[in-house]
mmCIF file with all atom_site columns, all heavy atoms in Angstrom:
data_model
loop_
_atom_site.group_PDB
_atom_site.id
_atom_site.type_symbol
_atom_site.label_atom_id
_atom_site.label_alt_id
_atom_site.label_comp_id
_atom_site.label_asym_id
_atom_site.label_entity_id
_atom_site.label_seq_id
_atom_site.pdbx_PDB_ins_code
_atom_site.Cartn_x
_atom_site.Cartn_y
_atom_site.Cartn_z
_atom_site.occupancy
_atom_site.B_iso_or_equiv
_atom_site.pdbx_formal_charge
_atom_site.auth_seq_id
_atom_site.auth_comp_id
_atom_site.auth_asym_id
_atom_site.auth_atom_id
_atom_site.pdbx_PDB_model_num
ATOM 1   N N   . ARG C 1 1  ? 130.847 31.513 -3.511  1.00 88.00 ? 1  ARG C N   1
ATOM 2   C CA  . ARG C 1 1  ? 131.356 31.035 -4.792  1.00 88.00 ? 1  ARG C CA  1
ATOM 3   C C   . ARG C 1 1  ? 131.789 29.583 -4.603  1.00 88.00 ? 1  ARG C C   1
ATOM 4   O O   . ARG C 1 1  ? 132.957 29.265 -4.415  1.00 88.00 ? 1  ARG C O   1
ATOM 5   C CB  . ARG C 1 1  ? 132.536 31.894 -5.283  1.00 88.00 ? 1  ARG C CB  1
ATOM 6   C CG  . ARG C 1 1  ? 132.136 33.283 -5.741  1.00 88.00 ? 1  ARG C CG  1
ATOM 7   C CD  . ARG C 1 1  ? 131.216 33.247 -6.955  1.00 88.00 ? 1  ARG C CD  1
ATOM 8   N NE  . ARG C 1 1  ? 130.857 34.579 -7.434  1.00 88.00 ? 1  ARG C NE  1
ATOM 9   C CZ  . ARG C 1 1  ? 129.779 35.242 -7.031  1.00 88.00 ? 1  ARG C CZ  1
ATOM 10  N NH1 . ARG C 1 1  ? 128.986 34.701 -6.119  1.00 88.00 ? 1  ARG C NH1 1
ATOM 11  N NH2 . ARG C 1 1  ? 129.507 36.425 -7.533  1.00 88.00 ? 1  ARG C NH2 1
ATOM 12  N N   . CYS C 1 2  ? 130.814 28.683 -4.633  1.00 87.00 ? 2  CYS C N   1
ATOM 13  C CA  . CYS C 1 2  ? 131.075 27.275 -4.346  1.00 87.00 ? 2  CYS C CA  1
ATOM 14  C C   . CYS C 1 2  ? 131.801 26.604 -5.509  1.00 87.00 ? 2  CYS C C   1
ATOM 15  O O   . CYS C 1 2  ? 131.547 26.914 -6.674  1.00 87.00 ? 2  CYS C O   1
ATOM 16  C CB  . CYS C 1 2  ? 129.760 26.551 -4.059  1.00 87.00 ? 2  CYS C CB  1
ATOM 17  S SG  . CYS C 1 2  ? 128.844 27.276 -2.675  1.00 87.00 ? 2  CYS C SG  1
ATOM 18  N N   . ARG C 1 3  ? 132.697 25.688 -5.183  1.00 83.00 ? 3  ARG C N   1
ATOM 19  C CA  . ARG C 1 3  ? 133.554 25.049 -6.174  1.00 83.00 ? 3  ARG C CA  1
ATOM 20  C C   . ARG C 1 3  ? 132.777 24.291 -7.242  1.00 83.00 ? 3  ARG C C   1
ATOM 21  O O   . ARG C 1 3  ? 133.229 24.180 -8.385  1.00 83.00 ? 3  ARG C O   1
ATOM 22  C CB  . ARG C 1 3  ? 134.512 24.075 -5.478  1.00 83.00 ? 3  ARG C CB  1
ATOM 23  C CG  . ARG C 1 3  ? 135.572 24.742 -4.618  1.00 83.00 ? 3  ARG C CG  1
ATOM 24  C CD  . ARG C 1 3  ? 136.384 23.697 -3.863  1.00 83.00 ? 3  ARG C CD  1
ATOM 25  N NE  . ARG C 1 3  ? 137.387 24.314 -3.012  1.00 83.00 ? 3  ARG C NE  1
ATOM 26  C CZ  . ARG C 1 3  ? 138.668 24.473 -3.325  1.00 83.00 ? 3  ARG C CZ  1
ATOM 27  N NH1 . ARG C 1 3  ? 139.095 24.048 -4.512  1.00 83.00 ? 3  ARG C NH1 1
ATOM 28  N NH2 . ARG C 1 3  ? 139.508 25.035 -2.496  1.00 83.00 ? 3  ARG C NH2 1
ATOM 29  N N   . MET C 1 4  ? 131.610 23.727 -6.883  1.00 81.00 ? 4  MET C N   1
ATOM 30  C CA  . MET C 1 4  ? 130.886 22.853 -7.805  1.00 81.00 ? 4  MET C CA  1
ATOM 31  C C   . MET C 1 4  ? 129.714 23.547 -8.477  1.00 81.00 ? 4  MET C C   1
ATOM 32  O O   . MET C 1 4  ? 128.913 22.907 -9.155  1.00 81.00 ? 4  MET C O   1
ATOM 33  C CB  . MET C 1 4  ? 130.376 21.600 -7.068  1.00 81.00 ? 4  MET C CB  1
ATOM 34  C CG  . MET C 1 4  ? 129.360 21.860 -5.972  1.00 81.00 ? 4  MET C CG  1
ATOM 35  S SD  . MET C 1 4  ? 130.032 22.798 -4.579  1.00 81.00 ? 4  MET C SD  1
ATOM 36  C CE  . MET C 1 4  ? 128.684 22.753 -3.414  1.00 81.00 ? 4  MET C CE  1
ATOM 37  N N   . CYS C 1 5  ? 129.594 24.857 -8.315  1.00 81.00 ? 5  CYS C N   1
ATOM 38  C CA  . CYS C 1 5  ? 128.427 25.590 -8.825  1.00 81.00 ? 5  CYS C CA  1
ATOM 39  C C   . CYS C 1 5  ? 128.808 26.523 -9.965  1.00 81.00 ? 5  CYS C C   1
ATOM 40  O O   . CYS C 1 5  ? 129.784 27.270 -9.873  1.00 81.00 ? 5  CYS C O   1
ATOM 41  C CB  . CYS C 1 5  ? 127.779 26.392 -7.696  1.00 81.00 ? 5  CYS C CB  1
ATOM 42  S SG  . CYS C 1 5  ? 126.323 27.328 -8.210  1.00 81.00 ? 5  CYS C SG  1
ATOM 43  N N   . SER C 1 6  ? 127.988 26.504 -11.016 1.00 76.00 ? 6  SER C N   1
ATOM 44  C CA  . SER C 1 6  ? 128.212 27.382 -12.176 1.00 76.00 ? 6  SER C CA  1
ATOM 45  C C   . SER C 1 6  ? 127.172 28.495 -12.274 1.00 76.00 ? 6  SER C C   1
ATOM 46  O O   . SER C 1 6  ? 127.177 29.271 -13.224 1.00 76.00 ? 6  SER C O   1
ATOM 47  C CB  . SER C 1 6  ? 128.168 26.551 -13.465 1.00 76.00 ? 6  SER C CB  1
ATOM 48  O OG  . SER C 1 6  ? 129.098 25.508 -13.434 1.00 76.00 ? 6  SER C OG  1
ATOM 49  N N   . ILE C 1 7  ? 126.270 28.568 -11.295 1.00 74.00 ? 7  ILE C N   1
ATOM 50  C CA  . ILE C 1 7  ? 125.136 29.485 -11.405 1.00 74.00 ? 7  ILE C CA  1
ATOM 51  C C   . ILE C 1 7  ? 125.479 30.901 -10.962 1.00 74.00 ? 7  ILE C C   1
ATOM 52  O O   . ILE C 1 7  ? 125.037 31.879 -11.577 1.00 74.00 ? 7  ILE C O   1
ATOM 53  C CB  . ILE C 1 7  ? 123.936 28.946 -10.594 1.00 74.00 ? 7  ILE C CB  1
ATOM 54  C CG1 . ILE C 1 7  ? 123.382 27.690 -11.273 1.00 74.00 ? 7  ILE C CG1 1
ATOM 55  C CG2 . ILE C 1 7  ? 122.857 30.003 -10.452 1.00 74.00 ? 7  ILE C CG2 1
ATOM 56  C CD1 . ILE C 1 7  ? 122.253 27.028 -10.520 1.00 74.00 ? 7  ILE C CD1 1
ATOM 57  N N   . ALA C 1 8  ? 126.256 31.028 -9.892  1.00 73.00 ? 8  ALA C N   1
ATOM 58  C CA  . ALA C 1 8  ? 126.536 32.346 -9.323  1.00 73.00 ? 8  ALA C CA  1
ATOM 59  C C   . ALA C 1 8  ? 127.108 33.302 -10.371 1.00 73.00 ? 8  ALA C C   1
ATOM 60  O O   . ALA C 1 8  ? 128.097 33.006 -11.026 1.00 73.00 ? 8  ALA C O   1
ATOM 61  C CB  . ALA C 1 8  ? 127.506 32.216 -8.157  1.00 73.00 ? 8  ALA C CB  1
ATOM 62  N N   . GLY C 1 9  ? 126.428 34.422 -10.553 1.00 64.00 ? 9  GLY C N   1
ATOM 63  C CA  . GLY C 1 9  ? 126.883 35.433 -11.495 1.00 64.00 ? 9  GLY C CA  1
ATOM 64  C C   . GLY C 1 9  ? 126.659 35.086 -12.952 1.00 64.00 ? 9  GLY C C   1
ATOM 65  O O   . GLY C 1 9  ? 127.205 35.747 -13.838 1.00 64.00 ? 9  GLY C O   1
ATOM 66  N N   . LEU C 1 10 ? 125.829 34.067 -13.203 1.00 70.00 ? 10 LEU C N   1
ATOM 67  C CA  . LEU C 1 10 ? 125.603 33.619 -14.576 1.00 70.00 ? 10 LEU C CA  1
ATOM 68  C C   . LEU C 1 10 ? 125.028 34.727 -15.445 1.00 70.00 ? 10 LEU C C   1
ATOM 69  O O   . LEU C 1 10 ? 125.427 34.900 -16.606 1.00 70.00 ? 10 LEU C O   1
ATOM 70  C CB  . LEU C 1 10 ? 124.651 32.411 -14.565 1.00 70.00 ? 10 LEU C CB  1
ATOM 71  C CG  . LEU C 1 10 ? 124.409 31.697 -15.893 1.00 70.00 ? 10 LEU C CG  1
ATOM 72  C CD1 . LEU C 1 10 ? 125.697 31.058 -16.401 1.00 70.00 ? 10 LEU C CD1 1
ATOM 73  C CD2 . LEU C 1 10 ? 123.329 30.632 -15.724 1.00 70.00 ? 10 LEU C CD2 1
ATOM 74  N N   . LEU C 1 11 ? 124.067 35.498 -14.889 1.00 77.00 ? 11 LEU C N   1
ATOM 75  C CA  . LEU C 1 11 ? 123.486 36.642 -15.589 1.00 77.00 ? 11 LEU C CA  1
ATOM 76  C C   . LEU C 1 11 ? 123.461 37.830 -14.639 1.00 77.00 ? 11 LEU C C   1
ATOM 77  O O   . LEU C 1 11 ? 123.354 37.658 -13.423 1.00 77.00 ? 11 LEU C O   1
ATOM 78  C CB  . LEU C 1 11 ? 122.064 36.329 -16.070 1.00 77.00 ? 11 LEU C CB  1
ATOM 79  C CG  . LEU C 1 11 ? 121.927 35.308 -17.213 1.00 77.00 ? 11 LEU C CG  1
ATOM 80  C CD1 . LEU C 1 11 ? 120.462 35.023 -17.482 1.00 77.00 ? 11 LEU C CD1 1
ATOM 81  C CD2 . LEU C 1 11 ? 122.610 35.806 -18.472 1.00 77.00 ? 11 LEU C CD2 1
ATOM 82  N N   . PRO C 1 12 ? 123.538 39.051 -15.144 1.00 75.00 ? 12 PRO C N   1
ATOM 83  C CA  . PRO C 1 12 ? 123.561 40.238 -14.280 1.00 75.00 ? 12 PRO C CA  1
ATOM 84  C C   . PRO C 1 12 ? 122.221 40.483 -13.585 1.00 75.00 ? 12 PRO C C   1
ATOM 85  O O   . PRO C 1 12 ? 121.169 40.043 -14.064 1.00 75.00 ? 12 PRO C O   1
ATOM 86  C CB  . PRO C 1 12 ? 123.889 41.371 -15.254 1.00 75.00 ? 12 PRO C CB  1
ATOM 87  C CG  . PRO C 1 12 ? 123.460 40.880 -16.591 1.00 75.00 ? 12 PRO C CG  1
ATOM 88  C CD  . PRO C 1 12 ? 123.690 39.399 -16.572 1.00 75.00 ? 12 PRO C CD  1
ATOM 89  N N   . ALA C 1 13 ? 122.268 41.180 -12.459 1.00 79.00 ? 13 ALA C N   1
ATOM 90  C CA  . ALA C 1 13 ? 121.077 41.436 -11.649 1.00 79.00 ? 13 ALA C CA  1
ATOM 91  C C   . ALA C 1 13 ? 119.994 42.183 -12.422 1.00 79.00 ? 13 ALA C C   1
ATOM 92  O O   . ALA C 1 13 ? 118.802 41.992 -12.180 1.00 79.00 ? 13 ALA C O   1
ATOM 93  C CB  . ALA C 1 13 ? 121.463 42.208 -10.392 1.00 79.00 ? 13 ALA C CB  1
ATOM 94  N N   . GLU C 1 14 ? 120.407 43.030 -13.367 1.00 87.00 ? 14 GLU C N   1
ATOM 95  C CA  . GLU C 1 14 ? 119.414 43.815 -14.107 1.00 87.00 ? 14 GLU C CA  1
ATOM 96  C C   . GLU C 1 14 ? 118.540 42.970 -15.023 1.00 87.00 ? 14 GLU C C   1
ATOM 97  O O   . GLU C 1 14 ? 117.540 43.451 -15.556 1.00 87.00 ? 14 GLU C O   1
ATOM 98  C CB  . GLU C 1 14 ? 120.093 44.925 -14.907 1.00 87.00 ? 14 GLU C CB  1
ATOM 99  C CG  . GLU C 1 14 ? 121.174 44.473 -15.858 1.00 87.00 ? 14 GLU C CG  1
ATOM 100 C CD  . GLU C 1 14 ? 122.552 44.555 -15.258 1.00 87.00 ? 14 GLU C CD  1
ATOM 101 O OE1 . GLU C 1 14 ? 122.670 44.481 -14.008 1.00 87.00 ? 14 GLU C OE1 1
ATOM 102 O OE2 . GLU C 1 14 ? 123.519 44.697 -16.026 1.00 87.00 ? 14 GLU C OE2 1
ATOM 103 N N   . GLU C 1 15 ? 118.885 41.705 -15.218 1.00 89.00 ? 15 GLU C N   1
ATOM 104 C CA  . GLU C 1 15 ? 118.065 40.822 -16.048 1.00 89.00 ? 15 GLU C CA  1
ATOM 105 C C   . GLU C 1 15 ? 117.040 40.032 -15.239 1.00 89.00 ? 15 GLU C C   1
ATOM 106 O O   . GLU C 1 15 ? 116.224 39.298 -15.795 1.00 89.00 ? 15 GLU C O   1
ATOM 107 C CB  . GLU C 1 15 ? 118.953 39.845 -16.828 1.00 89.00 ? 15 GLU C CB  1
ATOM 108 C CG  . GLU C 1 15 ? 119.800 40.521 -17.889 1.00 89.00 ? 15 GLU C CG  1
ATOM 109 C CD  . GLU C 1 15 ? 120.371 39.535 -18.889 1.00 89.00 ? 15 GLU C CD  1
ATOM 110 O OE1 . GLU C 1 15 ? 119.878 38.396 -18.954 1.00 89.00 ? 15 GLU C OE1 1
ATOM 111 O OE2 . GLU C 1 15 ? 121.310 39.908 -19.614 1.00 89.00 ? 15 GLU C OE2 1
ATOM 112 N N   . GLU C 1 16 ? 117.070 40.165 -13.921 1.00 93.00 ? 16 GLU C N   1
ATOM 113 C CA  . GLU C 1 16 ? 116.148 39.404 -13.076 1.00 93.00 ? 16 GLU C CA  1
ATOM 114 C C   . GLU C 1 16 ? 114.695 39.779 -13.347 1.00 93.00 ? 16 GLU C C   1
ATOM 115 O O   . GLU C 1 16 ? 114.380 40.896 -13.769 1.00 93.00 ? 16 GLU C O   1
ATOM 116 C CB  . GLU C 1 16 ? 116.456 39.679 -11.599 1.00 93.00 ? 16 GLU C CB  1
ATOM 117 C CG  . GLU C 1 16 ? 117.785 39.135 -11.136 1.00 93.00 ? 16 GLU C CG  1
ATOM 118 C CD  . GLU C 1 16 ? 118.117 39.535 -9.710  1.00 93.00 ? 16 GLU C CD  1
ATOM 119 O OE1 . GLU C 1 16 ? 117.228 40.097 -9.016  1.00 93.00 ? 16 GLU C OE1 1
ATOM 120 O OE2 . GLU C 1 16 ? 119.263 39.290 -9.306  1.00 93.00 ? 16 GLU C OE2 1
ATOM 121 N N   . LEU C 1 17 ? 113.800 38.842 -13.062 1.00 95.00 ? 17 LEU C N   1
ATOM 122 C CA  . LEU C 1 17 ? 112.376 39.111 -13.176 1.00 95.00 ? 17 LEU C CA  1
ATOM 123 C C   . LEU C 1 17 ? 111.955 40.101 -12.096 1.00 95.00 ? 17 LEU C C   1
ATOM 124 O O   . LEU C 1 17 ? 112.432 40.046 -10.963 1.00 95.00 ? 17 LEU C O   1
ATOM 125 C CB  . LEU C 1 17 ? 111.573 37.820 -13.030 1.00 95.00 ? 17 LEU C CB  1
ATOM 126 C CG  . LEU C 1 17 ? 111.866 36.697 -14.028 1.00 95.00 ? 17 LEU C CG  1
ATOM 127 C CD1 . LEU C 1 17 ? 110.988 35.489 -13.733 1.00 95.00 ? 17 LEU C CD1 1
ATOM 128 C CD2 . LEU C 1 17 ? 111.671 37.170 -15.460 1.00 95.00 ? 17 LEU C CD2 1
ATOM 129 N N   . SER C 1 18 ? 111.047 40.997 -12.436 1.00 96.00 ? 18 SER C N   1
ATOM 130 C CA  . SER C 1 18 ? 110.524 41.941 -11.456 1.00 96.00 ? 18 SER C CA  1
ATOM 131 C C   . SER C 1 18 ? 109.561 41.217 -10.512 1.00 96.00 ? 18 SER C C   1
ATOM 132 O O   . SER C 1 18 ? 109.125 40.087 -10.779 1.00 96.00 ? 18 SER C O   1
ATOM 133 C CB  . SER C 1 18 ? 109.769 43.075 -12.162 1.00 96.00 ? 18 SER C CB  1
ATOM 134 O OG  . SER C 1 18 ? 108.586 42.567 -12.776 1.00 96.00 ? 18 SER C OG  1
ATOM 135 N N   . THR C 1 19 ? 109.215 41.881 -9.415  1.00 97.00 ? 19 THR C N   1
ATOM 136 C CA  . THR C 1 19 ? 108.249 41.313 -8.475  1.00 97.00 ? 19 THR C CA  1
ATOM 137 C C   . THR C 1 19 ? 106.937 41.007 -9.183  1.00 97.00 ? 19 THR C C   1
ATOM 138 O O   . THR C 1 19 ? 106.342 39.941 -8.992  1.00 97.00 ? 19 THR C O   1
ATOM 139 C CB  . THR C 1 19 ? 107.992 42.292 -7.315  1.00 97.00 ? 19 THR C CB  1
ATOM 140 O OG1 . THR C 1 19 ? 109.229 42.691 -6.738  1.00 97.00 ? 19 THR C OG1 1
ATOM 141 C CG2 . THR C 1 19 ? 107.108 41.654 -6.262  1.00 97.00 ? 19 THR C CG2 1
ATOM 142 N N   . GLU C 1 20 ? 106.480 41.932 -10.002 1.00 97.00 ? 20 GLU C N   1
ATOM 143 C CA  . GLU C 1 20 ? 105.200 41.759 -10.709 1.00 97.00 ? 20 GLU C CA  1
ATOM 144 C C   . GLU C 1 20 ? 105.261 40.584 -11.680 1.00 97.00 ? 20 GLU C C   1
ATOM 145 O O   . GLU C 1 20 ? 104.272 39.842 -11.828 1.00 97.00 ? 20 GLU C O   1
ATOM 146 C CB  . GLU C 1 20 ? 104.842 43.045 -11.453 1.00 97.00 ? 20 GLU C CB  1
ATOM 147 C CG  . GLU C 1 20 ? 104.464 44.212 -10.563 1.00 97.00 ? 20 GLU C CG  1
ATOM 148 C CD  . GLU C 1 20 ? 105.645 44.791 -9.787  1.00 97.00 ? 20 GLU C CD  1
ATOM 149 O OE1 . GLU C 1 20 ? 106.804 44.648 -10.264 1.00 97.00 ? 20 GLU C OE1 1
ATOM 150 O OE2 . GLU C 1 20 ? 105.411 45.369 -8.706  1.00 97.00 ? 20 GLU C OE2 1
ATOM 151 N N   . GLN C 1 21 ? 106.408 40.378 -12.323 1.00 97.00 ? 21 GLN C N   1
ATOM 152 C CA  . GLN C 1 21 ? 106.543 39.235 -13.218 1.00 97.00 ? 21 GLN C CA  1
ATOM 153 C C   . GLN C 1 21 ? 106.484 37.920 -12.445 1.00 97.00 ? 21 GLN C C   1
ATOM 154 O O   . GLN C 1 21 ? 105.861 36.951 -12.895 1.00 97.00 ? 21 GLN C O   1
ATOM 155 C CB  . GLN C 1 21 ? 107.863 39.322 -13.991 1.00 97.00 ? 21 GLN C CB  1
ATOM 156 C CG  . GLN C 1 21 ? 107.853 40.351 -15.117 1.00 97.00 ? 21 GLN C CG  1
ATOM 157 C CD  . GLN C 1 21 ? 109.205 40.413 -15.809 1.00 97.00 ? 21 GLN C CD  1
ATOM 158 O OE1 . GLN C 1 21 ? 110.227 40.674 -15.178 1.00 97.00 ? 21 GLN C OE1 1
ATOM 159 N NE2 . GLN C 1 21 ? 109.213 40.164 -17.117 1.00 97.00 ? 21 GLN C NE2 1
ATOM 160 N N   . VAL C 1 22 ? 107.121 37.898 -11.275 1.00 97.00 ? 22 VAL C N   1
ATOM 161 C CA  . VAL C 1 22 ? 107.062 36.698 -10.442 1.00 97.00 ? 22 VAL C CA  1
ATOM 162 C C   . VAL C 1 22 ? 105.625 36.438 -9.994  1.00 97.00 ? 22 VAL C C   1
ATOM 163 O O   . VAL C 1 22 ? 105.158 35.288 -9.986  1.00 97.00 ? 22 VAL C O   1
ATOM 164 C CB  . VAL C 1 22 ? 108.003 36.824 -9.229  1.00 97.00 ? 22 VAL C CB  1
ATOM 165 C CG1 . VAL C 1 22 ? 107.861 35.609 -8.311  1.00 97.00 ? 22 VAL C CG1 1
ATOM 166 C CG2 . VAL C 1 22 ? 109.450 36.961 -9.680  1.00 97.00 ? 22 VAL C CG2 1
ATOM 167 N N   . TYR C 1 23 ? 104.907 37.500 -9.641  1.00 98.00 ? 23 TYR C N   1
ATOM 168 C CA  . TYR C 1 23 ? 103.497 37.337 -9.263  1.00 98.00 ? 23 TYR C CA  1
ATOM 169 C C   . TYR C 1 23 ? 102.691 36.705 -10.395 1.00 98.00 ? 23 TYR C C   1
ATOM 170 O O   . TYR C 1 23 ? 101.830 35.847 -10.162 1.00 98.00 ? 23 TYR C O   1
ATOM 171 C CB  . TYR C 1 23 ? 102.882 38.700 -8.916  1.00 98.00 ? 23 TYR C CB  1
ATOM 172 C CG  . TYR C 1 23 ? 103.318 39.307 -7.608  1.00 98.00 ? 23 TYR C CG  1
ATOM 173 C CD1 . TYR C 1 23 ? 102.954 40.614 -7.278  1.00 98.00 ? 23 TYR C CD1 1
ATOM 174 C CD2 . TYR C 1 23 ? 104.090 38.594 -6.690  1.00 98.00 ? 23 TYR C CD2 1
ATOM 175 C CE1 . TYR C 1 23 ? 103.340 41.197 -6.082  1.00 98.00 ? 23 TYR C CE1 1
ATOM 176 C CE2 . TYR C 1 23 ? 104.486 39.172 -5.497  1.00 98.00 ? 23 TYR C CE2 1
ATOM 177 C CZ  . TYR C 1 23 ? 104.105 40.470 -5.198  1.00 98.00 ? 23 TYR C CZ  1
ATOM 178 O OH  . TYR C 1 23 ? 104.484 41.049 -4.012  1.00 98.00 ? 23 TYR C OH  1
ATOM 179 N N   . ARG C 1 24 ? 102.951 37.130 -11.623 1.00 97.00 ? 24 ARG C N   1
ATOM 180 C CA  . ARG C 1 24 ? 102.216 36.569 -12.761 1.00 97.00 ? 24 ARG C CA  1
ATOM 181 C C   . ARG C 1 24 ? 102.522 35.081 -12.938 1.00 97.00 ? 24 ARG C C   1
ATOM 182 O O   . ARG C 1 24 ? 101.631 34.297 -13.264 1.00 97.00 ? 24 ARG C O   1
ATOM 183 C CB  . ARG C 1 24 ? 102.545 37.341 -14.042 1.00 97.00 ? 24 ARG C CB  1
ATOM 184 C CG  . ARG C 1 24 ? 101.958 38.748 -14.080 1.00 97.00 ? 24 ARG C CG  1
ATOM 185 C CD  . ARG C 1 24 ? 101.841 39.270 -15.513 1.00 97.00 ? 24 ARG C CD  1
ATOM 186 N NE  . ARG C 1 24 ? 103.131 39.396 -16.171 1.00 97.00 ? 24 ARG C NE  1
ATOM 187 C CZ  . ARG C 1 24 ? 103.912 40.472 -16.097 1.00 97.00 ? 24 ARG C CZ  1
ATOM 188 N NH1 . ARG C 1 24 ? 103.513 41.522 -15.366 1.00 97.00 ? 24 ARG C NH1 1
ATOM 189 N NH2 . ARG C 1 24 ? 105.055 40.521 -16.749 1.00 97.00 ? 24 ARG C NH2 1
ATOM 190 N N   . VAL C 1 25 ? 103.782 34.714 -12.711 1.00 97.00 ? 25 VAL C N   1
ATOM 191 C CA  . VAL C 1 25 ? 104.132 33.288 -12.776 1.00 97.00 ? 25 VAL C CA  1
ATOM 192 C C   . VAL C 1 25 ? 103.376 32.514 -11.688 1.00 97.00 ? 25 VAL C C   1
ATOM 193 O O   . VAL C 1 25 ? 102.862 31.420 -11.934 1.00 97.00 ? 25 VAL C O   1
ATOM 194 C CB  . VAL C 1 25 ? 105.652 33.084 -12.614 1.00 97.00 ? 25 VAL C CB  1
ATOM 195 C CG1 . VAL C 1 25 ? 105.988 31.595 -12.548 1.00 97.00 ? 25 VAL C CG1 1
ATOM 196 C CG2 . VAL C 1 25 ? 106.415 33.732 -13.768 1.00 97.00 ? 25 VAL C CG2 1
ATOM 197 N N   . ILE C 1 26 ? 103.293 33.091 -10.505 1.00 98.00 ? 26 ILE C N   1
ATOM 198 C CA  . ILE C 1 26 ? 102.568 32.452 -9.403  1.00 98.00 ? 26 ILE C CA  1
ATOM 199 C C   . ILE C 1 26 ? 101.094 32.291 -9.755  1.00 98.00 ? 26 ILE C C   1
ATOM 200 O O   . ILE C 1 26 ? 100.484 31.241 -9.512  1.00 98.00 ? 26 ILE C O   1
ATOM 201 C CB  . ILE C 1 26 ? 102.734 33.259 -8.107  1.00 98.00 ? 26 ILE C CB  1
ATOM 202 C CG1 . ILE C 1 26 ? 104.184 33.165 -7.619  1.00 98.00 ? 26 ILE C CG1 1
ATOM 203 C CG2 . ILE C 1 26 ? 101.778 32.773 -7.021  1.00 98.00 ? 26 ILE C CG2 1
ATOM 204 C CD1 . ILE C 1 26 ? 104.529 34.107 -6.492  1.00 98.00 ? 26 ILE C CD1 1
ATOM 205 N N   . ASP C 1 27 ? 100.499 33.326 -10.332 1.00 98.00 ? 27 ASP C N   1
ATOM 206 C CA  . ASP C 1 27 ? 99.101  33.236 -10.776 1.00 98.00 ? 27 ASP C CA  1
ATOM 207 C C   . ASP C 1 27 ? 98.922  32.079 -11.757 1.00 98.00 ? 27 ASP C C   1
ATOM 208 O O   . ASP C 1 27 ? 97.955  31.310 -11.666 1.00 98.00 ? 27 ASP C O   1
ATOM 209 C CB  . ASP C 1 27 ? 98.669  34.544 -11.435 1.00 98.00 ? 27 ASP C CB  1
ATOM 210 C CG  . ASP C 1 27 ? 98.477  35.686 -10.444 1.00 98.00 ? 27 ASP C CG  1
ATOM 211 O OD1 . ASP C 1 27 ? 98.248  35.394 -9.256  1.00 98.00 ? 27 ASP C OD1 1
ATOM 212 O OD2 . ASP C 1 27 ? 98.549  36.855 -10.870 1.00 98.00 ? 27 ASP C OD2 1
#
């Protein structure tokens, strides 16, 4: 939890992209 960072915990883990979604972005 770094003093200058606002990203940590910004959105819950259940909203993350799935592996397959990341693969599609890579494609």
